[in-house]
Amino acid sequence: MVDADKVKKVGKWIGGAATLIASVIATVGVGPVLLEKIWPKNQPPIAKIIATKQKGTVPLEITFDGAKSSDPEGGSLKYYWLIDTGSVSEKISYHHVFTQPGEYSVVLKVEDEGGRQNQDSVIVEALPSENTNSTSSPTQQTAQPADVAKLQENHLEPLIEKKPVSPPIVQHSVDPVTMTAAHNQWRSKVDAPNLKWSDKLEMDAQAWTDHLKEINNCAPLNSNKGFSENIYRLGAVVWSDGRRESSKIEPQEVVQKWGKDNSGYSNIVDKEVANIGCAMSFCEDKSQVWVCYYSLPESRDSN
């Protein structure tokens, strides 16, 4: 038989403890801190690539492993491997044979159970072999027919050849009119309001691309400055004799790349953002990195 007096005593003790905790929270003002310790916020995962090598002559075989990636909460992760924004695998590791001389950016994006993402990247340099025909035209790695069929089956884009061109001489590193129009063309399909160019966002984007140029050889790393952002890296064209030239790509093509990536597309058509600013930089090795920042209307940014 249940002792009614004991039940009452336990109930009073629980009620008293709850009252004491509420009193401490109200008095000291540390409620959010205590709650965060009891129920911590979901932290972003940590992406980590381990590559068997990053440089060598073609055919260059490399295995990329994402097993060192982790989630602070100990949850499971999803893996997305990309080469120059072309998705190629969703397994924990990825094996690839680079058959053409060139420079490639290999990116690993990881996503935790709460939807938070993080990424890591490495640069691979595939050098011409002694058997490479010196009269052959320059090219970058192109997906083989079997790879193309697999990518098309999964609605992904194979890698494409790039044409050499000298870096353009313009006042802006990215043409504001062309880049804004390319974004607004995508936004019109979902009835999102047109974006307006922001000189401030452009300056911030230029500062970040210049930073990547100096420290990471244009590796496509997010700045985490608080803006929504899209980033794209394009490797150099490598001739059979080892010469490098910058590849040619237009702002519309860069936006097209982002539009075919889930997170990139979300940033382009986000109806909450109103302003855009973009920039690009050429690296010493003739590769290039593009960055676009997106922000809310100024009246909301200030709140």
Side-chain angles (χ1 to χ4, degrees), residues 167 173-174 205-214 217-218 232-234 246 279-291:
S173 61
V174 173
Q206 190 67 64
W208 184 244
T209 61
D210 290 343
H211 175 71
L212 295 178
K213 168 183 175 181
E214 295 298 328
N217 204 25
C218 287
Y232 172 68
R233 180 187 181 278
L234 178 60
S246 297
M280 63 87 67
S281 291
F282 287 97
C283 280
E284 186 177 352
D285 63 355
K286 304 298 183 181
S287 63
Q288 55 192 278
V289 62
W290 295 64
V291 169

Side-chain angles (χ1 to χ4, degrees), residues 239-293:
W239 293 74
S240 57
D241 60 2
R243 289 182 294 115
R244 293 174 174 273
E245 292 189 15
S246 297
S247 301
K248 179 180 179 181
I249 190 168
E250 300 295 332
Q252 302 95 318
E253 297 175 88
V254 175
V255 177
Q256 185 80 3
K257 299 282 187 183
W258 289 329
K260 294 184 178 181
D261 175 78
N262 287 337
S263 59
Y265 174 79
S266 298
N267 289 332
I268 292 174
V269 301
D270 186 353
K271 294 183 180 181
E272 295 294 317
V273 301
N275 307 304
I276 181 178
C278 308
M280 63 87 67
S281 291
F282 287 97
C283 280
E284 186 177 352
D285 63 355
K286 304 298 183 181
S287 63
Q288 55 192 278
V289 62
W290 295 64
V291 169
C292 277
Y293 285 152

Side-chain angles (χ1 to χ4, degrees), residues 10 17 33 58-59 65 69 75 91-92 103 114 134 143 145 152-153 182 189 193 201-202 209 219 231 243 256 293 298:
V10 171
V33 177
V58 295
D65 189 8
S69 303
K91 296 182 178 180
I92 192 171
E103 186 180 77
S134 60
Q152 291 175 341
E153 179 182 352
K189 299 176 183 179
L201 288 179
E202 178 187 8
T209 61
I231 186 166
R243 289 182 294 115
Q256 185 80 3
Y293 285 152
E298 292 182 3

Side-chain angles (χ1 to χ4, degrees), residues 171-204:
Q171 183 177 359
H172 298 273
S173 61
V174 173
D175 179 49
V177 175
T178 305
M179 181 59 84
T180 305
H183 276 78
N184 288 335
Q185 184 176 4
W186 279 79
R187 293 172 66 85
S188 65
K189 299 176 183 179
V190 296
D191 296 324
N194 285 344
L195 294 176
K196 295 181 180 180
W197 189 264
S198 166
D199 292 336
K200 181 181 183 302
L201 288 179
E202 178 187 8
M203 292 176 61
D204 289 335

